[in-house]
Every structure is written in structure tokens, then in C-alpha cells.
Amino acid sequence: MRQKRVIGILTWREGQRFSEPDYLRRLVKAGWKLGAEVYVFSHQDVNAKERRIKGFTPKTGGGWESKSYPWPDVVIDRYRKRVPQYMKLRHSGLFDFANSPFSKKWRVTQLLAEDERVSRWVPETYVYTKGKVMAMLRRHPLLYIKPGNGTGGRSILKVAAVGKQYQLQGRDKQYGKHQVRVDNAAAVENWVKRWVTKQRISDGNFLVQQGLDLALMPNRVADVRLLIQKDGDGLWDVTGCGVRMGASGSSTSNLHGGGKAIPFEAFMTKRFGEDGAQRILDECHTMAHRIAHTLEERFGRMMEFGLDIGVDVSGRAWLIEVNPKPGREVFRQMGSMDTYAEAIARPMKFALYIARNGEGLPEKKRKGAG
């Protein structure tokens, strides 16, 4: 009788505390449903000498149980903290990973901006340095100052020209709101300098990015979260997308900041009509496929990407950010439970495809990866 395929999920843990425990539970159960042996583990759980893993699985009624498991055929990497022990394991060659090491947001933005296949979707972006804000304000009436290694809408500052003044608003590291008006670009530069110093996340840099007018509803920012994943045949496919609409007066659409998720077709049809909504959807799909292929060429085999896409008031689509370890809560929040279930199952389907076929792009050790 053929043995079950073994899939490991690498993540951060401390005791029985895990990053994103709810998602990990669902991912393990999706793998079980597909007939695989699946467990969660962290860097400290690997016994390379005996080729055994201390793995964790969800218990009925909550909590986790652990035991010794066989070596995985394929590992899905969901580790989000770049600690040295993780980085060492990630580059050790011990496992066949479904997804390759990725790079920092700034390097990815730079790579895409320089590639003619995808550059038209990338807003003008630079690493923050003294004088850069003033220079950008001469070209764009709206800017975003954001951490190159941030998530969840933290530490993002919006700078907008309002008449002869500038309005600055954002959320700090604790999601606290800040808003101020200043009279000139020099004052903006000074204010941003203080923000960057105080709101830095670990040792990351900040980016200065061309702002987009995403106010598709009065006093609200909206953007599109699109999920593109490998399917069970190893092919890229858009699983789904939804619109995230920010809270009234918020400078971001992030769901952590009080935003809400709305089905794409309903929202875009209301704003741009049926034909306009379909044109924007097609553009978003084209963008997602081209970006996925471009990044996979550069970094090696990948499994999924979450794209944050801005649709400006003229209906033009722009790439705001790409995330190689995306969430999928937008589908649950807008009530698309079939899409949500498929978004969880697909990483497992792809991992099993690799385990069965040993195909797909291998990991590439290239300069800049990781």
C-alpha cells in the first residue's frame, strides 16, 4: 500500500504559540482532507541527523499536540520573522520547499520598476533619503511614506497637497491615528524625518511612493486584494479578488484599521459600469500573471502572491504591493466562503503536486534572494 505524502509547514513558534494559528489549523486540515500527512514545525524542531521532525497538529477543541514525524516530502514556508535560525535553516538545503526565499519590499519594487513587462503598473518609488520628499512633491500632489518591511498598514503616512498647505495623516506602529497640517514642503520634510525615526519597524528603511487617488467613494480609500496561486497542476491561476474599503477618513484601506471587504464586481460596476469593471478585472488578472512569472524567474519556484492593487479615479490599475506569504481573510470577510476554502487548499494541492511529480521551477540561489 502506498504511503501518504508528507507535507511540513514551517512557521515561527514559541512553546505552543504560533504565528497565524487559525490559518495554520485550516491549512493542516485541508491537507488531511486531500489525503496527506501534514504537520506544523519550527526551526528548533528539526533533527537532521535522524531525519525526524517534532511536528504539531491541531487538537479537537483547541490547542496543539506534538509527536515525532517523518521527514517531509515538501515544506510550505509560512515563517514571517527573519530570525537568524530561520534564515540558516531556509538556506541549508535540507528541504524541498514549495516557495523560494523572497526579498525585501524595496528590492522587489525596484526589480519590477526596471522590467518593461510590468513597469507600467508600478508607481514611482524611492528609498527615503533627506530631500526626497520635497523632490517628489514637486511632481506628485500625493505621496505615501511607508516602511519597506511593514505589514498591516502600520507606520504608513499619507502626504497630500491641499491648496497651499499639506495634510499629513497616518497610523503609527500601534495603529494610533495622527493628523496634522503644515504650510510648506520644508515643514513636511521635517515632519516626515521625525516620523521615519520614530515609526521605523526593527531596522528597516522607509519608501517614498507616488500617491494614487484611490478615493472611489467620498472620504474613503479603496484598493483591490488579489490572490494568485499555483493550482494542483502547478499552474498559476487567480483564485479571487475583493475590494478593501477603508474606514471613513482613514488614509489606508487596511482591514486592521477598520476597513471592510466588498465583492469586486459589485463595487467596481457601481463606480465604472459593467464594461469598465470587466476591463479593470482583466487588467488586474494580466498584471497578476505577469508579475508572478517575472518574480518566479528571479527568485525561483513560488507558490502564491497577494497583490494589493490600487484602482485610481480614472479606472487605471496600479501595483501597490506584492506579498509572497499573503493572508486570505478578504474572502471570508466578504462572505465568499468557497473562494476562501480554495485559497487555503491550493497551497496543499500545489505541495502535493510537487511531491508527486518533483516538477516546477527549483529554488534558485541568486544574488538578492532572501
Side-chain angles (χ1 to χ4, degrees):
M1 186 175 158
R2 192 186 179 98
Q3 285 188 318
K4 285 184 175 184
R5 300 289 182 181
V6 181
I7 309 296
I9 305 165
L10 177 63
T11 188
W12 173 90
R13 80 167 178 85
E14 192 175 84
Q16 289 206 4
R17 284 198 311 122
F18 293 87
S19 291
E20 51 182 12
D22 180 58
Y23 171 60
L24 294 176
R25 286 174 185 281
R26 292 171 189 271
L27 190 56
V28 170
K29 289 175 181 177
W32 289 347
K33 199 180 279 189
L34 291 165
E37 182 159 30
V38 188
Y39 55 83
V40 177
F41 72 103
S42 195
H43 62 265
Q44 65 266 43
D45 301 320
V46 178
N47 185 336
K49 198 173 180 180
E50 295 181 15
R51 287 182 70 80
R52 299 289 293 181
I53 306 281
K54 179 185 178 183
F56 291 78
T57 53
K59 285 196 291 195
T60 307
W64 299 81
E65 57 190 352
S66 68
K67 68 174 189 179
S68 177
Y69 282 94
W71 204 253
D73 296 309
V74 178
V75 173
I76 294 171
D77 182 2
R78 285 299 294 188
Y79 214 114
R80 290 166 176 262
K81 298 172 187 276
R82 296 171 71 90
V83 298
Q85 302 97 310
Y86 157 70
M87 299 302 289
K88 184 180 176 185
L89 180 65
R90 195 62 179 83
H91 294 284
S92 66
L94 286 170
F95 300 115
D96 185 11
F97 283 98
N99 46 333
S100 299
F102 206 54
S103 193
K104 292 181 180 176
K105 282 184 189 176
W106 163 239
R107 288 187 193 152
V108 172
T109 301
Q110 200 172 27
L111 172 73
L112 296 174
E114 291 168 358
D115 191 309
E116 61 183 18
R117 293 170 296 179
V118 293
S119 57
R120 66 190 170 100
W121 292 300
V122 183
E124 192 176 355
T125 309
Y126 300 95
V127 167
Y128 167 80
T129 54
K130 188 180 177 184
K132 187 56 75 178
V133 173
M134 288 178 73
M136 286 279 276
L137 282 172
R138 285 194 277 272
R139 290 194 295 283
H140 306 292
L142 185 65
L143 301 180
Y144 279 91
I145 320 297
K146 61 188 195 180
N149 59 340
T151 57
R154 295 185 301 151
S155 303
I156 296 176
L157 185 69
K158 175 185 173 185
V159 180
V162 182
K164 292 182 178 179
Q165 291 185 312
Y166 295 93
Q167 181 171 303
L168 292 82
Q169 61 181 123
R171 288 182 181 273
D172 61 26
K173 286 192 278 192
Q174 284 75 43
Y175 297 109
K177 289 184 180 179
H178 296 261
Q179 185 164 319
V180 67
R181 280 194 182 224
V182 298
D183 292 330
N184 55 66
V188 173
E189 189 80 62
N190 290 334
W191 214 91
V192 170
K193 185 180 177 183
R194 289 196 299 273
W195 179 271
V196 166
T197 304
K198 285 184 179 178
Q199 301 305 329
R200 190 178 302 279
I201 297 174
S202 61
D203 61 347
N205 55 18
F206 271 75
L207 307 180
V208 182
Q209 188 169 71
Q210 168 192 349
L212 309 169
D213 189 350
L214 307 179
L216 300 182
M217 298 276 286
N219 201 34
R220 291 177 187 269
V221 170
D223 66 15
V224 176
R225 165 57 65 89
L226 179 147
L227 183 64
I228 185 168
Q229 298 174 294
K230 292 275 187 71
D231 63 16
D233 295 315
L235 302 173
W236 286 111
D237 186 46
V238 174
T239 306
C241 63
V243 172
R244 301 182 307 174
M245 189 168 71
S248 181
S250 172
S251 60
T252 70
S253 64
N254 209 281
L255 299 176
H256 291 290
K260 65 177 184 176
I262 303 166
F264 180 96
E265 290 82 0
F267 183 91
M268 292 297 172
T269 300
K270 191 173 180 181
R271 181 67 173 75
F272 295 104
E274 273 187 38
D275 291 349
Q278 187 60 52
R279 178 187 58 76
I280 294 165
L281 183 63
D282 292 345
E283 179 86 354
C284 290
H285 279 230
T286 300
M287 181 197 304
H289 278 277
R290 286 202 194 159
I291 284 172
H293 285 291
T294 301
L295 292 176
E296 193 167 51
E297 273 179 24
R298 177 66 182 80
F299 295 105
R301 183 170 66 205
M302 303 302 288
M303 179 180 70
E304 59 183 353
F305 290 109
L307 274 65
D308 290 346
I309 299 171
V311 177
D312 68 22
V313 290
S314 71
R316 181 174 173 182
W318 298 83
L319 177 70
I320 298 173
E321 199 168 283
V322 56
N323 185 343
K325 295 173 186 173
R328 50 219 78 211
E329 287 305 297
V330 67
F331 305 121
R332 182 159 67 163
Q333 291 203 15
M334 67 188 194
S336 300
M337 298 312 291
D338 288 348
T339 306
Y340 180 61
E342 183 65 2
I344 291 167
R346 274 190 162 173
M348 277 296 159
K349 289 178 180 178
F350 178 56
L352 286 168
Y353 166 81
I354 299 168
R356 286 193 303 267
N357 300 282
E359 294 176 12
L361 280 168
E363 288 201 21
K364 296 179 181 177
K365 292 186 185 291
R366 289 192 180 181
K367 193 177 174 186

